[in-house]
Amino acid sequence: MLLPLPSTPCETHLSKWSFEVTQWLQTSAKFPLDTMSLYRNALWFLNGIHHYTRKGYEAASAAFDPQDMDVSVVGRSFMITGANSGIGRATAMAIAKKGGRLHMVCRNKDKAEETKEQIINESGNTEVYVHILDLSESRKVWEFAEAFKKQYTSLHVLINNAGCMMHKREVNAELLEKNFAVNTMGMYLLTESLMPLLQKSRHPRVITVSSGGMLVQKLQIDDLQSEKGYFDGLMVYAQNKRQQVVLTEQWAREYPDVHFSVMHPGWVDTTAVSTSMPQFHRMMGERLRSPEQGADTVVWLALSRAAGRTRSGQFFQDRKVVPTHLPLAWTHSSTVEVLTFISQLEMLAKAVQSKPDAFLSDQLGPSTS
């Protein structure tokens, strides 16, 4: 059964808010939600209004240790996908101010170059390089990573930030559904291909920006390309974000010499949210976090010594480890399900890599390290 929504006089606004979001969740789905789905969504939302909003961040940040960020990362290199806007841009700016060498992986060249200039001007750090790549083009993701390994001698931190939420099913050249291609296959190909470079760098880290929306999803292994039934972009996105968490946990076991983490940035006011979820963005309004607040935990995971001392493979929110499952939500996966999922990704990756060599453009700018 659903948890009762707040009804005291001082929480009337919360009840109205909850009702609106429940309606949005129902109407945004292409089919009626079952009881378990309604339970998960209601519990997720109630958790979110306390922890995922701007006020949630402000409350959590009161416990942050400011000395955690008293670091210099001069000489360390960072790759950030989707670095020209939103959380990615805020992350790139913060790292540049600490002296890190930035590799901005972006789809839009004009926006990327504009952001690069802004970062250089504000941070004074000139070690900022732009690489143009569309993560929905799976073969090109692999080609980019292979070329990057040949040109650069180190990569200390990989931040898988780029994501997309498409509400109409489309496929790429490899016939992969595009949400899956960007959110899951793109980060899988990039991370796996760059692993040798990460492993030979000092204190390597891989951070993936996921979403609390994954809490409403159990890993599904029988329809990775969302071909069955109705196509619901919101739920496909949430499923991809669950896949990212599962991958992070698996990588932590497979590569003990690399520190892996995955995080939820909260509900953040970005262009991506306003365009992909306009009704939610409108309802939340000023309650949404700023991009800098959303990026805070990414930056902390990438830079701080405290983050490096945590156990690899965990899920973070506001610099703290949080559960990857809601209570009684039946979203846990068996070992067989996880291994089947990983096996499917491995087969898809091999298929992508075995395609005839495509045109490999010179996407990498000048550098020697």
Side-chain angles (χ1 to χ4, degrees), residues 184-196:
T184 303
M185 202 66 205
M187 60 91 75
Y188 176 80
L189 286 167
L190 195 61
T191 304
E192 286 283 356
S193 299
L194 292 173
M195 191 56 59

Side-chain angles (χ1 to χ4, degrees), residues 139-140 142-143 146 150 174 351-361:
R139 171 75 183 192
K140 289 186 179 180
W142 176 68
E143 289 176 338
E146 292 301 300
K150 293 176 182 177
E174 291 79 22
V352 166
Q353 295 162 11
S354 66
K355 284 183 60 179
D357 285 343
F359 169 73
L360 180 55
S361 60

Side-chain angles (χ1 to χ4, degrees), residues 63-329:
F64 292 173
D65 185 348
Q67 291 187 347
D68 282 357
M69 303 307 295
D70 186 16
V71 296
S72 170
V73 289
V74 173
R76 285 177 68 79
S77 55
F78 300 76
M79 179 182 289
I80 308 171
T81 63
N84 63 280
S85 65
I87 293 169
R89 181 189 184 281
T91 300
M93 182 68 78
I95 292 173
K97 288 180 178 180
K98 295 293 185 180
R101 181 186 302 116
L102 284 181
H103 294 284
M104 299 171 55
V105 178
C106 307
R107 184 179 58 177
N108 186 301
K109 179 176 176 59
D110 291 339
K111 290 181 180 179
E113 292 292 349
E114 180 182 353
T115 300
K116 171 186 173 179
E117 291 306 311
Q118 292 169 348
I119 291 173
I120 291 173
N121 291 337
E122 188 170 331
S123 69
N125 185 346
T126 59
E127 288 198 284
V128 183
Y129 306 99
V130 167
H131 310 280
I132 304 304
L133 176 67
D134 186 339
L135 283 169
S136 73
E137 299 177 349
S138 301
R139 171 75 183 192
K140 289 186 179 180
V141 173
W142 176 68
E143 289 176 338
F144 165 78
E146 292 301 300
F148 190 94
K149 285 189 296 187
K150 293 176 182 177
Q151 185 163 358
Y152 294 88
T153 60
S154 66
L155 179 63
H156 299 90
V157 181
L158 170 61
I159 300 174
N160 292 307
N161 166 72
C164 77
M165 184 191 297
M166 298 181 66
H167 294 284
K168 180 181 178 181
R169 189 179 186 277
E170 297 180 18
V171 297
N172 65 7
E174 291 79 22
L175 302 182
L176 301 178
E177 190 276 318
K178 283 194 174 181
N179 287 302
F180 173 82
V182 173
N183 300 326
T184 303
M185 202 66 205
M187 60 91 75
Y188 176 80
L189 286 167
L190 195 61
T191 304
E192 286 283 356
S193 299
L194 292 173
M195 191 56 59
L197 188 58
L198 285 159
Q199 288 176 310
K200 72 177 186 179
S201 303
R202 191 166 181 264
H203 302 311
R205 302 182 186 187
V206 175
I207 300 136
T208 298
V209 179
S210 184
S211 168
M214 69 91 191
L215 291 167
V216 305
Q217 287 284 306
K218 182 185 187 299
L219 179 68
Q220 303 294 330
I221 60 173
D222 62 346
D223 188 24
L224 295 187
Q225 305 310 316
S226 304
E227 296 173 293
K228 300 178 182 178
Y230 293 101
F231 183 84
D232 183 343
L234 186 65
M235 291 299 106
V236 170
Y237 175 83
Q239 175 65 204
N240 295 160
K241 294 300 173 176
R242 168 62 71 185
Q243 292 166 353
Q244 291 178 345
V245 171
V246 171
L247 268 173
T248 298
E249 294 170 342
Q250 184 66 18
W251 277 329
R253 289 187 285 267
E254 187 175 352
Y255 302 111
D257 50 347
V258 178
H259 188 279
F260 291 89
S261 57
V262 61
M263 59 80 66
H264 173 39
W267 293 338
V268 184
D269 186 4
T270 64
T271 301
V273 171
S274 66
T275 55
S276 61
M277 298 188 293
Q279 188 177 352
F280 176 77
H281 184 269
R282 186 170 58 253
M283 285 188 300
M284 298 302 297
E286 294 183 356
R287 302 178 185 93
L288 294 171
R289 298 181 177 196
S290 69
E292 289 73 24
Q293 291 172 333
D296 177 84
T297 296
V298 186
V299 177
W300 180 81
L301 287 167
L303 303 185
S304 75
R305 296 182 182 88
R309 291 192 293 267
T310 63
R311 179 170 57 82
S312 183
Q314 298 187 101
F315 183 55
F316 288 82
Q317 175 187 304
D318 293 331
R319 304 191 189 183
K320 291 176 62 177
V321 176
V322 293
T324 55
H325 300 277
L326 294 169
L328 305 175

